[in-house]
Amino acid sequence: MIALATRHLKSLHRRDFVAGAALIDGHWIGGEQRDIVVDPATGDEIADVARCSAADMDRAIAAADRSFGAWRELLPAKRGGILRSWASLMRNYSEDLAVLVTVEQGKPLAEARCEVAYGAGFLEWFAAEGERAYGETIPSHKAGSVLHVRMQPIGVAAAITPWNFPVAMITRKAGAALAAGCPIIVKPAPETPLSALAVARLAEEAGVPRGVVQVLVGDPVVLSTPLLRDTRVRALSFTGSTQVGRLLLEGAAETVKKVSLELGGHAPFLVFDDVDLDKAVKGAMAAKFATSGQDCLAANRIYVQRGVYGAFVETFASAIARLKVGHGLESTTDIGPMTKLSVANKCRAHIDDAAAKGARVISAKQNSRLGPNFVPPTLLSDVTDSMLIAREETFGPVAAVLPFDSEEEVLARANASEMGLAAYVYTDSLRRALRLSESIEYGMVGINTASFTGPPIPFGGWKQSGLGREGSRHGIDEFMELKYICFGDLAA
Ligand code: NAD
């Protein structure tokens, strides 16, 4: 029997999407060294891709550097036109791209389709932002002088991207870089190279010139080392774990690159007793189980006020019990496999630790046909602050619920983390919502909503959740240098 993933790959309209070649200096490079791509749901090998070397990366850096001059000189409206064509091709081939995302990442196909649309949206957003990369004039503090500020492209940019949003994390970075006037070299996660290479094909077809977008797949250390060391690479944008983010920040220090980091989260989700419980449960379901929990915005600590605690746990447990676990290509699936076995194992460790320390575990029975990367959606109630899940990000479909008594207490507990990406507050009190939105130490706060991302918002975290912002009008700044110019001696 032909496996589900293989059958879908065979029926792609664009068979070239699975050719597995890397894009370097306008050429598709096959190469003898290959890496296997695996369907995380079954462990089946579904494709192979070229494994690029450090020498390949050196060639890519040189090509990007050569392409920079002409790309930066192109009028922003022309660059924007190319970005819009790229987005439009992504929308035309969205079904093929979504299948690639599902077979290599595992998420349900419906979510993969949303990701492709979300990803295309960044290209469209930045197509327009490039035309608005305004400078300033400064009222002068010196007689007979005029002061200007110009925003100019920083130079060659590098992007190291994760496997949880394998399309959108590329376009969120590439859209901003290209709109600013910078070429970009992308190193996608080894688990999800197919969608990255497919998106690169569409960039080429949209008219992105040779060397302006390149995608190289391979060993992360082998490929990132030249990117970090080379002085021609002026900006580095990374999404992934805090641990690797720290390493890259250190590595980029040698050549003092501009670094932007989107790192781990550990989102608190606060439910007060004045709230409509059904709405809060609906929000918690979305904030916890989207992308099968493999989302840096995922609610990791759901604090529920004592008065509604029992009712919340009961309603939440029934909603969780309705989630269907399975292959992302099956239309009934809500929760797919974890992309990496290590993530599934971390989920199991968090469940075991909580159970050993007295939490109540409500877990759907695991279907024995499902492989080791699957984690049944699990509710842990009566979680305490000393349990692992209350202290570190889980990145899977395990929901931890913790009771609290007062606003002051829950704010202190929510802020007692080195992570500061997203936080959620559910309350019917406007004054409380305003108070908490002021004092919570997170880069993004959803008040009575779990849905707030999209191209217009400044995505990013405080503390060890990252540096810089992506999307919004701020995202383009990560790829620009500010230049101050003083015109003096103007008296005739
Ligand atoms: P990771 O940080 O190891 O991988 C992310 C990217 O970094 C991939 O492209 C990977 O190949 C690359 N990478 C890994 N080691 C590297 C190194 N030494 N030098 C250069 N590049 C390197 O992420 P992971 O371990 O696969 O995921 C685990 C954790 O990462 C999750 O639990 C979560 O906390 C975090 N994460 C966050 C996001 C996010 O959206 N912020 C996305 C994915 C993962």
Side-chain angles (χ1 to χ4, degrees):
M1 195 181 88
I2 303 180
L4 194 57
T6 310
R7 213 166 57 231
H8 275 75
L9 287 178
K10 281 193 186 323
S11 62
L12 291 179
H13 291 98
R14 293 288 305 260
R15 292 286 299 146
D16 58 336
F17 280 179
V18 281
L23 179 58
I24 304 174
D25 194 13
H27 298 289
W28 290 95
I29 309 295
E32 280 171 16
Q33 303 277 351
R34 310 290 291 175
D35 281 324
I36 302 294
V37 186
V38 167
D39 174 356
T42 58
D44 293 341
E45 295 179 3
I46 50 172
D48 56 67
V49 294
R51 186 192 306 157
C52 298
S53 63
D56 292 328
M57 186 55 88
D58 287 336
R59 280 196 297 126
I61 295 169
D65 190 47
R66 281 195 299 275
S67 75
F68 178 41
W71 183 249
R72 68 179 288 172
E73 290 310 320
L74 212 57
L75 288 176
K78 292 257 191 245
R79 292 198 295 258
I82 293 174
L83 284 171
R84 284 191 189 91
S85 304
W86 187 6
S88 147
L89 285 166
M90 283 180 65
R91 293 188 190 283
N92 289 351
Y93 292 107
S94 70
E95 198 55 27
D96 278 6
L97 291 173
V99 166
L100 293 181
V101 169
T102 293
V103 298
E104 62 183 359
Q105 198 278 343
K107 66 177 73 177
L109 195 53
E111 286 189 353
R113 290 184 185 117
C114 290
E115 181 185 343
V116 174
Y118 176 60
F122 286 109
L123 300 178
E124 289 155 351
W125 172 266
F126 282 113
E129 279 305 296
E131 294 186 64
R132 300 186 198 117
Y134 301 121
E136 298 168 17
T137 54
I138 301 173
S140 185
H141 59 312
K142 290 182 181 296
S145 64
V146 169
L147 316 183
H148 284 178
V149 170
R150 291 262 291 118
M151 298 304 290
Q152 294 188 313
I154 192 165
V156 174
I160 299 182
T161 57
W163 42 263
N164 62 338
F165 284 89
V167 165
M169 294 306 97
I170 291 176
T171 54
R172 193 159 78 183
K173 296 175 192 307
L178 265 57
C182 302
I184 193 162
I185 301 169
V186 181
K187 190 218 78 63
E191 295 78 13
T192 54
L194 298 177
S195 43
L197 294 169
V199 164
R201 277 193 190 267
L202 298 179
E204 193 184 37
E205 282 162 34
V208 174
R210 174 177 174 173
V212 173
V213 169
Q214 302 176 86
V215 177
L216 285 78
V217 186
D219 180 83
V221 176
V222 169
L223 296 183
S224 64
T225 304
L227 287 173
L228 291 170
R229 292 208 177 131
D230 202 301
T231 51
R232 289 170 294 184
V233 179
R234 296 296 353 147
L236 169 68
S237 176
F238 170 73
T239 300
S241 60
T242 298
Q243 192 189 3
V244 173
R246 243 182 244 121
L247 281 177
L248 294 174
L249 189 58
E250 229 178 280
E254 200 183 317
T255 50
V256 194
K257 296 187 201 309
K258 187 162 183 169
V259 178
S260 55
L261 305 171
E262 297 296 347
L263 307 177
H266 185 36
F269 187 105
L270 280 47
V271 181
F272 286 88
D273 61 9
D274 56 10
V275 84
D276 176 330
L277 217 52
D278 288 337
K279 283 189 186 159
V281 168
K282 202 166 159 221
M285 289 299 292
K288 177 71 250 184
F289 293 103
T291 325
S292 309
Q294 300 177 109
D295 192 327
C296 50
L297 301 180
N300 219 60
R301 296 169 283 156
I302 302 171
Y303 297 101
V304 183
Q305 203 161 18
R306 196 88 56 184
V308 290
Y309 182 78
F312 180 92
V313 168
E314 200 180 310
T315 320
F316 196 31
S318 353
I320 293 173
R322 287 194 291 275
L323 291 172
K324 296 265 185 311
V325 182
H327 198 292
L329 291 172
E330 285 160 2
S331 61
T332 50
T333 295
D334 300 304
I335 302 289
M338 301 301 98
T339 310
K340 294 170 72 161
L341 183 61
S342 57
V343 174
N345 286 339
K346 189 175 185 192
C347 292
R348 289 188 267 269
H350 279 187
I351 297 171
D352 292 347
D353 170 79
K357 291 178 180 152
R360 217 152 48 92
V361 182
I362 309 172
S363 211
K365 222 170 167 309
Q366 174 91 27
N367 177 340
S368 57
R369 280 187 307 112
L370 298 173
N373 283 29
F374 282 93
V375 176
T378 300
L379 173 63
L380 303 175
S381 63
D382 303 342
V383 168
T384 61
D385 293 354
S386 67
M387 295 175 189
L388 267 183
I389 196 162
R391 289 188 278 126
E392 54 181 50
E393 186 180 35
T394 312
F395 228 61
V398 184
V401 187
L402 307 86
F404 74 90
D405 292 299
S406 72
E407 179 184 325
E408 196 184 17
E409 170 214 331
V410 77
L411 174 66
R413 288 167 73 191
N415 283 344
S417 168
E418 271 305 301
M419 296 295 132
L421 193 60
Y424 305 84
V425 177
Y426 275 72
T427 178
D428 219 24
S429 157
L430 178 60
R431 297 167 101 187
R432 177 163 26 228
L434 278 170
R435 272 196 306 271
L436 286 170
S437 65
E438 280 293 307
S439 45
I440 204 152
E441 294 164 357
Y442 287 79
M444 294 173 284
V445 186
I447 306 282
N448 294 325
T449 181
S451 163
F452 55 68
T453 57
I457 73 120
F459 195 106
W462 287 19
K463 302 184 191 169
Q464 295 192 32
S465 283
L467 291 175
R469 290 296 179 271
E470 293 193 28
S472 78
R473 71 182 172 86
H474 301 285
I476 199 167
D477 292 346
E478 307 298 335
F479 300 95
M480 301 198 100
E481 283 283 26
L482 181 154
K483 184 185 282 170
Y484 157 65
I485 307 154
C486 175
F487 295 89
D489 195 19
L490 294 184

